[in-house]
Amino acid sequence: METIIIDGKKMSLQIQENLKKEIQTFERKPKLAVILVGDNPASLIYVANKKKIGEKIGAEAEVFQLSPVMTEDALISFIEELNQNDTVDGILVQLPLPPHFDENKVLATLDPNKDVDGLHPHNLGNLFISKTDLKPCTPLACLELIKSVLPSLEGKTALIIGRSRLVGKPLAQMLMAENCTVIQAHSKTKNMDEICKIADIVVAATGKPNLIQSSYIKKGAVLIDVGITRLDNKKITGDIDFESMLGIAGAITPVPGGVGPMTVTMLYVNLLNSYKKNFAKSLK
Ligand code: GUN
């Protein structure tokens, strides 16, 4: 069997091109505010990339790097000001926050209409009734990648390995809305290999390099690798043992070049949605 390598980079460039064209028709540039508290090295790279892609498509992306010793109240006031600022269409708080912040409380401060990460409890709650414009970016990316090789997901068995707020939990809702049978596995799941064997789709989001081996996989399954780990030899690797899957999986996303570029692109799909909503509101 020939395994399709799902080119997330190429797909993301195509979507970015469309977003760029759409922005050119807008009255003003949509603006994203990115809040980074402290200087976590991985977060610095993610945030710089978000800014770069935003500028490339003609949006404005302003990064506010705030002191890691600021108080939670000060961060909440900062977000409230951005909520009130009509020139800001989307706000993203880069996670993780330093340990003295209550992430749930901080995310709940965001204006749900500007929550381009889809992490406010209002938007996460709306996922349960399939009624939100702003869904978390990584699950959106996973769904697009899956649909590029499986146009109909109805009746497929999808295994999600991971139950985080950013990926696993929201993705389960989104795949159920597509009429998949969803199995949610996590670090305490027993018999992972047996469960993998029945899955038509496997999404791995654990951060454990090469956790998923080819002996676990049903022939022809679609594999989506959300994991991204930098090994001691500096090589970036995912949760799925990529090489061993060739000839066994029906399709697989590479790391890098799969979920990563699509996730940043989905952020700007969300930004354009919130721009359109906020701009229409300002005309009323
Ligand atoms: N940290 C790692 N990934 C993400 C993401 O998608 N959004 C936010 N806010 N923080 C992250």
Side-chain angles (χ1 to χ4, degrees), residues 43 46 50 92-96 107 117 119 136-138 166 263:
S43 292
Y46 289 140
K50 285 169 185 166
L92 178 150
V93 179
Q94 186 66 28
L95 301 176
L107 291 171
D117 242 352
L119 297 178
C137 303
T138 308
L166 272 173
T263 295

Side-chain angles (χ1 to χ4, degrees), residues 17-35:
E17 200 47 49
N18 293 339
L19 295 175
K20 186 175 174 180
K21 284 194 191 124
E22 195 176 352
I23 289 175
Q24 283 164 356
T25 69
F26 288 174
E27 305 252 335
R28 64 164 174 80
K29 285 183 173 188
K31 179 166 177 176
L32 171 68
V34 180
I35 300 173

Side-chain angles (χ1 to χ4, degrees), residues 96-158:
L97 289 169
H100 66 282
F101 291 95
D102 176 346
E103 286 185 350
N104 290 329
K105 190 170 168 197
V106 170
L107 291 171
T109 308
L110 293 166
D111 176 347
N113 290 316
K114 296 189 179 187
D115 169 34
V116 283
D117 242 352
L119 297 178
H120 186 284
H122 175 94
N123 287 322
L124 285 175
N126 268 345
L127 271 186
F128 276 71
I129 48 174
S130 308
K131 181 188 156 275
T132 179
D133 298 329
L134 297 175
K135 296 177 184 150
C137 303
T138 308
L140 271 178
C142 293
L143 198 55
E144 288 294 316
L145 292 160
I146 295 168
K147 283 184 171 175
S148 75
V149 288
L150 284 179
S152 170
L153 302 186
E154 189 164 310
K156 302 279 187 226
T157 299

Side-chain angles (χ1 to χ4, degrees), residues 204 206-212 225-229 231 235-242 253-256:
T206 69
K208 297 200 176 69
N210 299 327
L211 177 74
I212 309 301
D225 197 344
V226 182
I228 172 156
T229 305
L231 301 175
K235 205 173 159 248
I236 303 276
T237 191
D239 294 355
I240 299 177
D241 184 5
F242 182 87
T253 59
V255 177

Side-chain angles (χ1 to χ4, degrees), residues 35-101:
I35 300 173
L36 171 62
V37 183
D39 56 2
N40 175 309
S43 292
L44 281 167
I45 295 172
Y46 289 140
V47 163
N49 195 36
K50 285 169 185 166
K51 185 172 169 66
K52 189 179 96 187
I53 302 298
E55 285 171 354
K56 192 179 126 192
I57 63 166
E60 201 178 326
E62 185 168 1
V63 177
F64 298 94
Q65 189 171 2
L66 307 178
S67 163
V69 298
M70 81 188 302
T71 63
E72 188 173 271
D73 283 347
L75 177 58
I76 286 174
S77 300
F78 192 83
I79 293 171
E80 282 168 348
E81 276 179 32
L82 292 173
N83 285 344
Q84 296 302 324
N85 184 337
D86 286 341
T87 69
V88 172
D89 303 290
I91 309 169
L92 178 150
V93 179
Q94 186 66 28
L95 301 176
L97 289 169
H100 66 282
F101 291 95

